[in-house]
Amino acid sequence: MRNQPGVARLSNPPGGMSLRQFFQWLSGAAVAMIPLYFIIAIVATLVYASGFQNFGWSFFSTNWNPNPNDPSVAAYGWFDFAVGSAITSAIALALAMVLSLGLAVCIVSFLPPFLSRLAAPVTDMLAGIPSVVYGIWGYVILAPYFSKVIDPWMVGTLGFLPGFNATPTQYAGGVGLILAIFILTIMVVPITTALVRDSLRSIPKELEEAGLALGATRWETMRRVKIPFIQRSIFSAGLLGFGRAIGETVAVFMVIGNEVTLPTSIFGGSTTMATLLVSQMDSAFTYPLLLKALVEIALVLMVISLSVNAIGLRLLGRKTVTGPGGIE
Amino acid sequence: MSGSVNRPAFAPASVADDLSARGFGRATRRILFDKWIGRLLPLLFIVVVFPILDMIWWIAQNALPTMTWSTLTTPLYGDVGGLYGAILGTTYLAGLALAICGVLGIFGGMYTAEYASPRTATFARLFGNILAGTPAIVIGYTGYFLLVLYTGWGTSIAAGAITLSVFMLPWVFRTTDLAFLSVPPTLREASLGLGATHRQYLFRVGFPVAFPRILTGIFIALAIGVGETAPLIFTAGWQLAPATSLTQGTSYLTGLIWTYFDEPANLGHLLALSFQAAFILFVIVIGLNVVVQIIGARYRRRLKGLFA
């Protein structure tokens, strides 16, 4: 029956199951657990195809030198790309969280009802736009604009900060970390906004009413009552957004510049773990050891997203999360 | 004074005027702050609205001038032609993937909502949501090893569609689950109380009520399947001629953008073509999203009617 406490379960009479009921249960539970099978299949395949026997602990280093001609000097350490992933996802997530907190607060408390009903679907629609469309928009339209306007301006005003200094040749193409961060931020905002917004809406009405009745303004009720109440959900929205940002491949690949070195500044090209999986795949078709290294990086990516999502979902404590199109 | 007594204390504008007129320092500051933050926060929507409008503007400007009816009906050959092969490929891939994940997702979600024990249901939902958050490129790698190499199919529509269906499955799964959970309990009690078996309830009462919401899940999954690139790069292959069988590779709309987005200017036709593909994708995805919103709104109204 319906899985709520207190509702009688009609399909399982007391006194255990008959054999027929047991098989019914087995086949049904098998259907319900299909996502689990897929997750197991993904992890098992990646473990099987990865190169941990070949690389051992040298995989955990900054030494990336895929030299197919001389396997003895070849090295496959993934830390450089972890740095690229961490920079892009962490900065993009920080920006996205600030924006989406503001947006969610605004949608829930400050917009008139007809506007807030309209605002939610528009934000959700952004989440549904294909990443390859973001990518071509970023590469063809935004990259020239960044190289001509945004990057020189940022070097001029923020150039004294470490990581913000670059020569014009370094940002000539316009592609690079800063553009990737910009695109990622826009792609993560709708997801985190939807999560925070739904958490804010799920707060018991009495709390808000009590705050307002005690004379607090809307902002004070939000700041002192509602946001502390959903702290955990906000944290979990951040985790889920991080999982999305670190796994994003296509759009980031198109705008990040794909240089397999550590970036010297925020305007330079770089590589994330996810984009490396795509950019190196062509040579990996011919060099089995490189392919194994890539599969191991894919496995790391899978483990990161698995744990981040699992923790985030447990903290969220709701049955489901909002997806593209605003369906719950 | 008497004018403001009957007004609720949290109606900010008028109270602020009152208080400032009477020189309440701190209270005025608080209320004015509230008023201004309510005016400034909506400016954040520029961040959301600007990308959409900018994207629509530039993509339309690059795609529409050279777009004709023949763009949709001629296949690409070398660097001349249109999008017919890609549209056909996307239709095959997304259609086949939707058929697979639709069946699995609807039955899985139905079981989770209606039969599973609370513990099974909790875990099923958790794994569904985790699968929805799995990076698409990782699913693509798995598809490459399992379906392209291990089964020996090579890069083909079949391998691409199955890989894609794994990515689409959680959306159908969890919407179906929620659709059945959102059926009013009064309906269930009425039908079971009138002597219906659980299965009769499920197919004669629950399913018809939940159907619009299940449909929104299917449309969302379709929008995701049409727009996704990463699971297909290594599994669906690449073949310009329109596909004729499931064992062939194919071109597809997202793959076309992916392949030609950095073409040099002397092959401007291919760049225009990828903008046209982006435009079509945009229209399909936004269209599906709008349909989903409309169905969802009507569904909520209908549920309200059922409760009344």
Side-chain angles (χ1 to χ4, degrees), chain A residues 1-3 28 31 128 130 137 215 218-220 249 253 277-278 281 285 295 305-306 313 320-321 324-325 328, chain B residues 30 33-34 54 108 111-112 114 121 129-130 135 137 141 144 171 174 178 180-181 188 220 234 258 285 289 293:
Chain A
M1 277 306 287
R2 178 167 296 210
N3 34 50
V31 178
W137 176 62
R218 292 172 301 175
W219 169 254
E220 286 160 350
T249 317
F253 175 88
L277 295 181
V278 179
M281 192 62 169
F285 284 137
V295 175
S305 89
L306 204 67
L313 289 165
T320 192
V321 291
E328 291 165 353
Chain B
R30 285 170 52 213
F33 183 76
D34 187 75
D54 196 61
Y111 183 88
T112 310
E114 292 288 335
N129 284 328
I130 287 178
I137 187 69
Y141 259 52
Y144 174 71
W171 303 97
R174 65 198 208 183
L178 282 168
F180 277 101
L181 283 183
R188 153 195 305 275
I220 286 296
F234 304 124
W258 172 255
V285 168
N289 270 294
Q293 298 291 348

